[in-house]
Amino acid sequence: MESQNLTSILEFLLLGLTEDPELQPILLALFLSMYLITVLGNLLIILAVSFDPHLHTPMYFFLSNLSLADIGFNSSTVLKMLVNLRTHSKSISYAGCLMQVAFFVMFCCLDSLLLAVMAYDRLVAICHPLHYSIIMSPRLCGMLVLLSLFLSLLDSVLHCLMVSQVTFCTNIEIPNFFCEPPQLVKLACDYTSTKNIFIFLFAAVFGGLPVLGILYSYARIVSSILGVPSASGKYKAFSTCGSHLSVVCLFYGTALGAYCSSVFSDAPRKVMVASVVYTTVTPMLNPFVYSLRNRDIKSALRRLVRVAA
């Protein structure tokens, strides 16, 4: 087969969710609705935190940044799919594919790191309540967000460098609706399992370390809660972590499924279903999880609606 370096390839073909022209308008309406719900829900969280003085705390500062990351994460993949469904096109340029890889990896990693930071915030609030305001100072909160952004950019650059060094055959067809790094690597003419090892290492470092941080934080939290003598005290302490724990399970559960499908599965349909849940459904559900389980957010949203009306 004729092969060429990635930089000489003008475009790729995204096979998308279906080739049936009758289903494409339905999928367009469905995913456009989901995208608008995602953006609106997360924007409401950001506005509520920004304009309500009661929510000017570290926990909600991190939550607003997570909502912003969710919008970027969802937009990095869904917008191109919507354009392709609307124009009945499957093509994506080399530059567009590389840019999609960059933004997808960056916002995915940022989501993961912010969830770890939020777990640390809950650890301090429950295990060191008297020193919470001193430890979680505005300066530390800002530094944690900036560090998360820096590490996300680093992860994005490493992925882009790896993908740009891959040699492809002509007429590249990606069996997905976006340029996912593991699938791009598997489509290379010079594909070897060594390249998958690099993907695994990136995931282990930039995804595994935040998971370890979350597990450590919740181990400390559970240990501290078990020391509370009353059942009502235990419930009150654990209820402050309920929304975060739900989002963590949703994000990492779908992420693990999508990653395993992409790296180990040769069934394109399974990979796409996992990718849809991971990139589209999870960011859409996060605002509902926080608003439905959090009285402060619900009160702030009601006040925001009254002001807007």
Side-chain angles (χ1 to χ4, degrees), residues 20-95:
D20 189 344
E22 295 182 358
L23 286 178
Q24 289 184 359
I26 300 174
L27 290 175
L28 176 63
L30 175 63
F31 283 99
L32 179 60
S33 301
M34 294 173 69
Y35 178 70
L36 292 176
I37 291 171
T38 301
V39 173
L40 179 60
N42 283 289
L43 278 179
L44 285 175
I45 296 289
I46 295 171
L47 290 173
V49 172
S50 300
F51 289 104
D52 195 319
H54 299 91
L55 301 183
H56 291 175
T57 63
M59 180 176 73
Y60 295 113
F61 170 68
F62 296 135
L63 175 59
S64 62
N65 280 277
L66 180 68
S67 295
L68 189 61
D70 277 339
I71 293 174
F73 181 48
N74 190 235
S75 300
S76 66
T77 58
V78 174
L79 285 179
K80 179 58 181 176
M81 178 178 65
L82 293 175
V83 170
N84 284 359
L85 286 171
R86 178 67 181 84
T87 59
H88 303 287
S89 170
K90 295 181 180 181
S91 65
I92 182 171
S93 66
Y94 153 71

Side-chain angles (χ1 to χ4, degrees), residues 2-300:
E2 181 186 356
S3 66
Q4 50 187 308
N5 187 271
L6 179 60
T7 54
S8 67
I9 295 177
L10 297 178
E11 65 179 20
F12 299 103
L13 293 179
L14 297 171
L15 298 185
L17 298 174
T18 181
E19 296 184 4
D20 189 344
E22 295 182 358
L23 286 178
Q24 289 184 359
I26 300 174
L27 290 175
L28 176 63
L30 175 63
F31 283 99
L32 179 60
S33 301
M34 294 173 69
Y35 178 70
L36 292 176
I37 291 171
T38 301
V39 173
L40 179 60
N42 283 289
L43 278 179
L44 285 175
I45 296 289
I46 295 171
L47 290 173
V49 172
S50 300
F51 289 104
D52 195 319
H54 299 91
L55 301 183
H56 291 175
T57 63
M59 180 176 73
Y60 295 113
F61 170 68
F62 296 135
L63 175 59
S64 62
N65 280 277
L66 180 68
S67 295
L68 189 61
D70 277 339
I71 293 174
F73 181 48
N74 190 235
S75 300
S76 66
T77 58
V78 174
L79 285 179
K80 179 58 181 176
M81 178 178 65
L82 293 175
V83 170
N84 284 359
L85 286 171
R86 178 67 181 84
T87 59
H88 303 287
S89 170
K90 295 181 180 181
S91 65
I92 182 171
S93 66
Y94 153 71
C97 188
L98 204 59
M99 188 179 300
Q100 195 172 60
V101 169
F103 282 110
F104 170 76
V105 172
M106 183 184 74
F107 285 116
C108 178
C109 185
L110 185 58
D111 257 8
S112 178
L113 290 169
L114 286 175
L115 287 173
V117 168
M118 293 171 75
Y120 174 71
D121 172 73
R122 292 298 82 207
L123 181 153
V124 176
I126 292 174
C127 299
H128 308 283
L130 298 179
H131 301 94
Y132 178 74
S133 59
I134 298 174
I135 297 174
M136 300 303 295
S137 63
R139 183 170 178 271
L140 178 62
C141 293
M143 287 179 61
L144 288 173
V145 171
L146 288 176
L147 179 62
S148 298
L149 182 59
F150 171 76
L151 291 175
S152 301
L153 287 170
L154 177 62
D155 188 23
S156 176
V157 169
L158 290 174
H159 272 85
C160 287
L161 287 175
M162 184 186 66
V163 172
S164 66
Q165 299 303 311
V166 170
T167 301
F168 287 90
C169 301
T170 56
N171 301 320
I172 303 302
E173 294 184 345
I174 303 172
N176 211 328
F177 59 91
F178 71 102
C179 295
E180 192 175 22
Q183 285 191 317
L184 284 174
V185 171
K186 288 176 73 173
L187 290 171
C189 285
D190 58 347
Y191 170 74
T192 62
S193 58
T194 306
K195 293 185 171 63
N196 252 355
I197 293 175
F198 282 107
I199 293 282
F200 176 77
L201 287 176
F202 291 157
V205 173
F206 293 98
L209 290 180
V211 170
L212 291 176
I214 292 172
L215 291 175
Y216 171 76
S217 297
Y218 273 103
R220 291 281 306 277
I221 288 171
V222 170
S223 176
S224 180
I225 290 176
L226 291 177
V228 177
S230 65
S232 60
K234 291 179 181 178
Y235 175 78
K236 184 178 179 181
F238 192 74
S239 63
T240 62
C241 306
S243 297
H244 177 260
L245 194 57
S246 300
V247 171
V248 166
C249 293
L250 185 64
F251 178 81
Y252 283 106
T254 55
L256 184 62
Y259 174 77
C260 291
S261 298
S262 181
V263 174
F264 302 112
S265 176
D266 292 324
R269 185 61 56 183
K270 290 182 180 179
V271 174
M272 277 192 283
V273 169
S275 298
V276 166
V277 175
Y278 179 41
T279 61
T280 307
V281 177
T282 301
M284 182 183 69
L285 292 181
N286 284 354
F288 292 101
V289 172
Y290 272 103
S291 61
L292 292 176
R293 296 180 60 91
N294 192 300
R295 293 180 182 178
D296 293 335
I297 291 291
K298 286 191 286 187
S299 300

